[in-house]
């Protein structure tokens, strides 16, 4: 079976040198390590926001970066969803519009907003649809960011420290939401964290980072969850 | 020019032609100049803020020169280029049938040149300080570069852009030197500042004071309106 993600890249930024190689299967994989270990840089390379110096990246077998062959597929064409540490919701757009902008699989404003509404419902944020991002709490903002990250029917979701800016109680609550929604969507995900407890609770696989290198990979056994019903967003069916 | 508002209306409102004629010319010229400047200035500001190419600083400097030059110098260059023999004058005759000096179109061009740098520089600054992570997020959402510019970058920079457009409008409305040299004071190119100058020159100090007051009120009202526009949600 083709891995969801294959990464083997190197990139230098000043004194720091990142040189990592790993593969990701289905489920939620966690890049875990201290700050400055190169985890977020890895996500930026996977997303195509930064180019590596050398190496290759493939998403579901499609090569999106290959330095030796000068291949660099643009971020827009990689079919990824991203969730950032502080949400990065567009402040001049409503919550629903923020999510609708990310919907790629249908055309037409009404259709995109309908898909966006479904995703807001799945993350428990449907009542926030008409609000402006500036009026949301940190937890609400990250729920919306998660909906936006998944609404475009991505092949892979990248979550860059999505809980680190939140207080402990909200973090615990959102862990369940993130894991539940991602697993039920069936979309493979890579999440970055420096919190060991968070890595244990969220990840199916934990990839340990230190000083720009992968120092170990560990699978975490979890009870099998039922498959999402066909036809629901993220169930694998194209609409 | 005055057909926009019938003379009978002006009589009823008590607005004399010596106020209305230059006021309407000023407003229309500044409005037309600002439309051109807003489109071209924001576009060039965007390119300068986002582009990394050789000659970027030189381009910005050349287009900023009217800010540093006396308007009369700008006007003189325009007069010699637009009115003197050469390809620009030939192009004017080919397109309009006559040279554009001492015409309404000529003063619009003078005001475009004078006000362009304000819009361009304000826009460039406002666009360059937009947090690039919003644009990265938009790329991850699959938005094309055009949609990112129109739906993300420009709305986030709108306050600075609106301020630049307002500055450009104010500059166009208040320009005297370049407008005077390119347009002279022929009737269809006599703006408020030129009418005010003529009133002072011919000793009509009362008329000059009225013209000055009208210009103050108009400029205040328009700039206040534009300022409030910048605070609104864009869409």
């Amino acid at each position: 079976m083709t891995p969801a993600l294959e990464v083997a890249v190197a990139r230098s930024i000043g004194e720091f040198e990142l040189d990592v190689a790993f593969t990701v299967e289905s489920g939620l994989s966690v890049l875990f390590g201290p700050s400055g270990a190169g985890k977020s840089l890895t996500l930026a390379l996977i997303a195509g926001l930064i180019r590596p110096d050398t190496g290759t990246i493939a998403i579901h077998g499609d090569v999106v970066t290959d330095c030796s062959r000068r291949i660099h597929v643009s971020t827009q064409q990689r079919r990824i969803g991203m969730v950032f540490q502080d949400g990065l919701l567009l402040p001049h757009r409503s919550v629903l519009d923020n999510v609708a902008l990310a919907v790629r699989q249908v055309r037409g404003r009404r259709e995109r907003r309908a898909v966006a509404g479904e995703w807001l419902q799945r993350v428990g944020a449907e009542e926030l649809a008409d609000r402006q991002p500036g009026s949301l709490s940190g937890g609400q903002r990250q729920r919306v960011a998660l909906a936006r990250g998944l609404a475009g029917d991505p092949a892979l979701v990248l979550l860059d420290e999505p809980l680190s800016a939140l207080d402990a109680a909200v973090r615990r609550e959102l862990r369940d939401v993130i894991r539940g929604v991602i697993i039920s969507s069936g979309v493979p995900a890579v999440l970055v964290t420096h919190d060991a407890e968070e890595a244990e609770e969220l990840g199916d696989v934990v990839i340990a980072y230190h000083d720009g290198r992968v120092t170990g990979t560990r699978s975490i056994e979890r009870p099998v969850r039922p498959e999402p019903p066909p036809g629901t967003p993220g169930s694998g069916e194209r609409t | 020019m005055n057909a926009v508002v019938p003379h009978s209306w002006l009589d009823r409102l008590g607005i004399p032609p010596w106020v209305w004629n230059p006021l309407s010319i000023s407003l229309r010229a500044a409005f037309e100049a600002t439309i051109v400047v807003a489109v071209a200035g924001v576009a060039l500001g965007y390119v300068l803020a986002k582009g990394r190419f050789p000659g970027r600083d030189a381009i910005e400097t050349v287009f900023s020169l009217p800010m540093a030059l006396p308007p009369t110098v700008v006007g003189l260059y325009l007069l010699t280029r637009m009115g003197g023999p050469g390809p620009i004058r030939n192009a004017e005759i080919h397109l309009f049938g006559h040279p554009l000096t001492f015409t309404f179109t000529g003063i619009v061009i003078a005001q475009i040149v004078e006000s362009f740098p304000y819009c361009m520089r304000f826009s460039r600054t406002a666009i360059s300080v937009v947090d690039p992570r919003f644009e990265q997020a938009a790329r991850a959402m699959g938005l094309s570069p055009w949609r990112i510019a129109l739906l993300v970058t420009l709305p986030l920079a709108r306050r600075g852009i609106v301020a630049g457009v307002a500055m450009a409008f104010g500059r166009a409305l208040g320009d005297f030197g370049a407008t005077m040299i390119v347009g002279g004071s022929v009737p269809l190119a006599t703006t408020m500042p030129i009418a005010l100058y003529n009133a002072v020159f011919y000793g009509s100090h009362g008329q000059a004071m009225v013209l000055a007051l009208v210009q103050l009120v108009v400029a205040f009202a328009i700039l206040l309106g534009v300022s409030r526009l910048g605070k609104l949600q864009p869409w």
Side-chain angles (χ1 to χ4, degrees), chain A residues 170-188:
Chain A
V170 179
R171 256 198 331 252
R172 275 193 296 277
E173 184 189 328
L174 269 185
R175 275 178 204 163
D176 291 339
V177 174
I178 286 177
R179 185 163 170 82
V181 170
I182 284 178
I183 297 302
S184 69
S185 73
V187 180

Side-chain angles (χ1 to χ4, degrees), chain B residues 144-185:
Chain B
S144 66
W146 273 106
R147 293 190 80 203
I148 293 172
L150 293 174
L151 301 179
V152 179
T153 311
L154 294 180
L156 290 174
R158 71 188 182 279
R159 292 210 170 114
I161 290 171
V162 169
V165 172
M167 283 291 291
F169 183 81
R171 187 73 194 81
L173 195 65
D175 182 64
F176 176 77
T179 304
M180 179 71 175
I181 289 186
V182 173
S185 60

Side-chain angles (χ1 to χ4, degrees), chain B residues 21-225:
Chain B
N21 289 347
L23 178 62
S24 63
I25 290 169
S26 272
L27 288 173
R28 190 176 150 196
F31 184 69
E32 290 183 11
T34 304
I35 288 174
V36 175
V37 164
V39 174
V42 172
L44 185 59
Y46 187 91
V47 170
L48 292 172
K50 296 291 174 193
R52 300 283 175 271
F53 53 90
R56 189 179 58 151
D57 291 345
I59 291 172
E60 184 173 3
T61 306
V62 166
F63 281 98
S64 299
L65 274 175
M67 289 176 85
L69 288 170
T72 45
V73 174
V74 175
L76 185 64
Y77 277 121
L78 287 172
L79 183 70
T80 52
R81 293 300 93 202
M82 289 162 60
I88 295 177
R89 188 171 187 271
N90 293 342
E92 291 167 23
I93 292 170
H94 180 70
L95 289 170
F96 298 95
H98 54 82
L100 293 178
T101 45
F102 309 111
T103 65
F104 177 78
T105 309
I107 64 170
V108 172
I109 291 171
Q111 292 182 6
I112 288 170
V113 173
E114 275 290 302
S115 59
F116 185 84
Y118 295 90
C119 183
M120 178 197 72
R121 291 184 75 96
F122 270 66
S123 301
R124 180 201 195 284
T125 304
I127 290 164
S128 63
V129 298
V130 168
D131 187 342
R133 296 179 312 145
F134 284 113
E135 290 157 334
Q136 290 182 349
R139 284 164 64 189
M141 287 154 67
L143 300 188
S144 66
W146 273 106
R147 293 190 80 203
I148 293 172
L150 293 174
L151 301 179
V152 179
T153 311
L154 294 180
L156 290 174
R158 71 188 182 279
R159 292 210 170 114
I161 290 171
V162 169
V165 172
M167 283 291 291
F169 183 81
R171 187 73 194 81
L173 195 65
D175 182 64
F176 176 77
T179 304
M180 179 71 175
I181 289 186
V182 173
S185 60
V186 295
L188 287 179
T190 300
T191 59
M192 284 292 272
I194 294 169
L196 193 153
Y197 172 80
N198 289 341
V200 172
F201 188 79
Y202 292 110
S204 304
H205 293 285
Q207 283 193 3
M209 290 305 292
V210 171
L211 290 169
L213 183 65
V214 169
Q215 200 158 357
L216 179 77
V217 171
V218 168
F220 179 82
I222 290 171
L223 293 181
L224 183 69

Side-chain angles (χ1 to χ4, degrees), chain A residues 76 80 86 89 92-93 104, chain B residues 133-134 140 143 151 155-156:
Chain A
Q76 286 94 331
I80 51 157
D86 43 4
L89 303 180
H92 55 286
R93 294 249 165 192
R104 287 176 261 205
Chain B
R133 296 179 312 145
F134 284 113
L143 300 188
L151 301 179
L156 290 174

